[in-house]
Amino acid sequence: MIPESAGSSPSRTWRARFKPAALTFLLWTIVGLFQAVPDMLDGFRWNETIGKFIDAWAWALLTPAILLIDRRLTSLFQSVVRIALAHLALSIPISLLHTYLTGLILYPIPTIWWSPLRSTEFAIYFYLGGWGTYCAIVGVLQTFKYYNRLMSSQVELAKVEKRLVESHLNALRLQLEPHFLFNTLNAISSELAENPVLAREMIEDLGALLRQSLDCQGSKEITLAQELALLDHYLAIQKLRFGDRIDIQVEVEPATLADLVPSMFLQPLVENAVRHGLERRMSGGKVVVSAAHVAGHLLIKVIDDGVGLPPHWAIETSAGLGIGVTRERLQALYTEPDSHDFTISRCSGAGTEVTIRIPLQRTGDDAHGSAS
């Protein structure tokens, strides 16, 4: 029974109650049709056909009671064995009830001489057939019930796994932010005594960067446009520090701006390029950040012409926090086999090239418009 709420109309309540009854009647009518078809192969006889349908419709009348009994047994017993034993005990009276109900409906039709109320022999036949049908009904009920439980448990497990991944990603990002903040504040402090105006401008850019990063704190992925906006504030700080010594260029295809990328993942890569590649050179150098669509993926590169990688360097053994955290974030976000790549290699002349390949994930037209 569906409780009638205060705001529901009578017609809506009636429809809500009628649909399950109509569906039950339809399903048992289909069962009756399957039972009648073999007899029709020898020729159509209306009394045999209607007898099969009435037998099925009698089960339709008993279905609400069977569902109610099963629900009650499920609430009383947690063991499958106990539920099966209870249904086995109940199968005897319910099969007898079905036999009597079918015979009562068939009795007014005199041509149906095999009615269980007319013949004891056929009463036993109807009872045994009804007992088998009841067992089949219970089997189907338990199958659907445990299938629903399995699906529900898998959905809950997927939610838990998602929360664990999100917690892991947040923890990884929290490792990056203090590291970046310490490096930036250290750079500002080095300029504070000699050039307080420059230091103040750097603090303003740092404040703008932190404000924008807080806006994206709850998102494990943001648009590339938002990521580049965060990167702009960091680049402004570096340009104030180094002036003309470094040249940082951003070359991205417009179509990539709405693609989703891990939040604040470009900053540590550019920071590594500046600190470990260009800062050690008196003449400075250039960093190029590029993004393009390649073979159904988003390809992002951070290339510098600095001092390059040390001899025998390998990404697997790198102790750098930015590289290690970036690898873990990509592995946590893109779990499908061969869905992403993260490589760091030496350039042919001098410098280092960082390449990241991730699946294309777009935010839609609304997000694209806001990002632009």
Side-chain angles (χ1 to χ4, degrees):
M1 297 296 290
I2 301 176
E4 183 176 351
S5 60
S8 62
S9 63
S11 60
R12 183 178 301 176
T13 304
W14 181 83
R15 284 196 300 269
R17 293 176 178 177
F18 175 75
K19 285 181 180 178
L23 180 60
T24 301
F25 179 80
L26 177 62
L27 289 176
W28 280 110
T29 301
I30 294 173
V31 172
L33 179 62
F34 275 103
Q35 290 178 339
V37 165
D39 293 335
M40 293 181 185
L41 297 178
D42 296 333
F44 177 77
R45 291 176 290 274
W46 74 270
N47 55 346
E48 293 182 3
T49 301
I50 196 64
K52 298 294 184 182
F53 279 106
I54 289 176
D55 180 74
W57 290 335
W59 281 115
L61 294 175
L62 295 175
T63 296
I66 295 174
L67 293 176
L68 188 61
I69 290 171
D70 182 72
R71 184 182 302 175
R72 182 63 176 169
L73 291 176
T74 303
S75 63
L76 289 176
F77 305 117
Q78 298 298 323
S79 171
V80 180
V81 176
R82 290 187 177 183
I83 295 175
L85 291 175
H87 274 297
L88 185 62
L90 289 170
S91 65
I92 297 174
I94 292 177
S95 299
L96 287 173
L97 180 59
H98 171 262
T99 301
Y100 181 79
L101 182 61
T102 305
L104 194 63
I105 300 173
L106 292 175
Y107 193 80
I109 307 175
T111 55
I112 302 181
W113 47 268
W114 58 88
S115 169
L117 295 185
R118 296 179 185 274
S119 170
T120 305
E121 180 182 354
F122 282 101
I124 298 174
Y125 168 79
F126 269 90
Y127 170 77
L128 293 177
W131 185 84
T133 303
Y134 179 80
C135 292
I137 293 172
V138 172
V140 171
L141 279 178
Q142 302 310 312
T143 300
F144 275 105
K145 184 168 59 179
Y146 285 100
Y147 175 78
N148 287 334
R149 286 184 180 179
L150 176 63
M151 291 297 101
S152 299
S153 63
Q154 288 183 348
V155 169
E156 290 300 322
L157 180 61
K159 289 180 179 178
V160 172
E161 290 178 348
K162 182 181 179 182
R163 286 195 291 267
L164 287 175
V165 170
E166 290 176 350
S167 299
H168 182 56
L169 289 170
N170 288 334
L172 291 173
R173 178 171 168 172
L174 289 174
Q175 290 182 48
L176 277 178
E177 290 178 352
H179 178 73
F180 153 72
L181 190 60
F182 171 79
N183 291 337
T184 307
L185 290 175
N186 189 41
I188 293 173
S189 65
S190 65
E191 302 288 345
L192 195 58
E194 297 181 4
N195 195 339
V197 176
L198 179 62
R200 185 168 58 250
E201 292 179 1
M202 293 171 67
I203 292 173
E204 291 176 356
D205 285 314
L206 176 60
L209 173 58
L210 292 177
R211 278 194 299 272
Q212 276 196 291
S213 67
L214 287 175
D215 294 336
C216 303
Q217 194 171 20
S219 304
K220 60 180 181 291
E221 290 179 298
I222 59 177
T223 64
L224 181 59
Q226 291 172 310
E227 179 69 11
L228 291 175
L230 289 171
L231 183 64
D232 281 342
H233 294 293
Y234 174 76
L235 296 181
I237 296 172
Q238 298 304 322
K239 288 177 181 177
L240 288 172
R241 283 187 63 202
F242 295 100
D244 295 335
R245 283 182 57 201
I246 63 170
D247 178 22
I248 302 178
Q249 301 176 7
V250 178
E251 302 173 354
V252 300
E253 295 179 355
T256 64
L257 293 175
D259 295 336
L260 291 176
V261 297
S263 60
M264 283 196 73
F265 86 108
L266 283 177
Q267 178 271 325
L269 301 179
V270 175
E271 182 180 7
N272 277 345
V274 173
R275 292 187 63 211
H276 302 295
L278 305 184
E279 194 172 356
R280 300 178 183 180
R281 295 177 58 185
M282 294 298 297
S283 59
K286 181 171 68 173
V287 178
V288 178
V289 179
S290 63
H293 289 163
V294 177
H297 286 76
L298 177 63
L299 190 68
I300 298 173
K301 293 185 178 182
V302 179
I303 304 174
D304 69 80
D305 59 356
V307 297
L309 296 171
H312 310 296
W313 184 92
I315 190 172
E316 292 79 13
T317 57
S318 171
L321 179 64
I323 293 174
V325 169
T326 301
R327 285 185 66 200
E328 287 191 53
R329 292 180 73 192
L330 292 174
Q331 290 171 357
L333 274 173
Y334 312 111
T335 57
E336 294 295 326
D338 300 324
S339 62
H340 76 280
D341 283 327
F342 178 44
T343 59
I344 301 178
S345 58
R346 296 174 179 83
C347 295
S348 56
T352 306
E353 177 177 321
V354 179
T355 303
I356 296 176
R357 180 182 63 88
I358 59 176
L360 278 181
Q361 300 183 66
R362 303 184 67 81
T363 58
D365 294 335
D366 294 340
H368 177 68
S370 62
S372 300

